[in-house]
Amino acid sequence: MAFLRRRQAGPGCHATDKMNMKKIIGLAALFIAIGMLIMLLTHNRLVGLIIVALLLFVGYNCVCGD
């Protein structure tokens, strides 16, 4: 059963995983910063909730999308 075998850790395996995690963390931090900046400028809770929902949707699609 090939799908039960563990992936062999090669010399380039860990570097790519770390780079992908850095990109995901950077993307999340960017969207959080954009949302906070917009909230500083709008002072409106409804707009803030809409922005939060939009950023959650975009973040989910970036991480889990094909």
Side-chain angles (χ1 to χ4, degrees), residues 1-2 5 9-10 15 17 21 25 29 32 34 36 54:
M1 295 182 163
R5 279 186 275 165
D17 291 343
M21 282 304 296
I25 291 170
I32 289 170
I34 289 171
M36 292 174 78
L54 179 68

Side-chain angles (χ1 to χ4, degrees), residues 6-44:
R6 295 180 115 184
R7 184 173 69 166
Q8 296 295 324
C13 179
H14 296 294
T16 347
D17 291 343
K18 286 183 181 180
M19 187 61 78
N20 288 337
M21 282 304 296
K22 284 183 180 180
K23 287 183 181 180
I24 291 173
I25 291 170
L27 182 68
L30 178 69
F31 279 127
I32 289 170
I34 289 171
M36 292 174 78
L37 182 63
I38 292 172
M39 283 304 298
L40 280 172
L41 299 174
T42 60
H43 300 290
N44 190 346

